[in-house]
Amino acid sequence: MNKITIEQLEDLEIFKHISKTSYEKLAELGEVKKYEAGTHIFRDKEEVTTLYIIVSGSVSLYKLNENGHKRVIFILGKGKMINDVIIQGLPSSINCEVFEHAQILSYDKNTFLNIMERDFILSKNIMCSLAMKVRRLYRQLKNTTGTIRMEKRLAAKLWKLSKDYGIK
């Protein structure tokens, strides 16, 4: 595990324009760990009490579908917070796998929340991170064919085929 410098923190999007005190606390309390591609940082339904931020490399957040295939939701890169949703206090709702060799900065959730309480800009940056993910999910949802619509289309096609070619 390595420490992170204030200069490295200033270079990360999630920490832009926060207070000097916050930078000092985050540098003091943060630990950077290297991960190889294919390594899981956390899995769906695990109790995760650590917040993760990407210093370098990239990770994929994915869900498994009913057939056990990966459905990638996000690929995140430098400066992005991986699991900001754990602030809510619930188990992880997604899998996180290192996509390419990465350095990941980690903080204890409660320690990080304590720093957020004292720095509105940091709190705002976290909210903006969550908002951007929600917006991306809206676009993904819009571009995804819903299963109900597909079922209705299939039923309509079968009805038409049966009407045109069916035998009583």
Side-chain angles (χ1 to χ4, degrees), residues 14 116 119-131:
I14 199 80
M116 282 178 64
D119 190 334
F120 174 74
I121 300 298
L122 177 58
S123 297
K124 184 178 173 192
N125 290 353
I126 302 301
M127 289 190 301
C128 288
S129 170
L130 286 164

Side-chain angles (χ1 to χ4, degrees), residues 8 45 132 140:
Q8 288 174 301
K45 301 191 182 16
M132 187 55 68
Q140 286 180 20

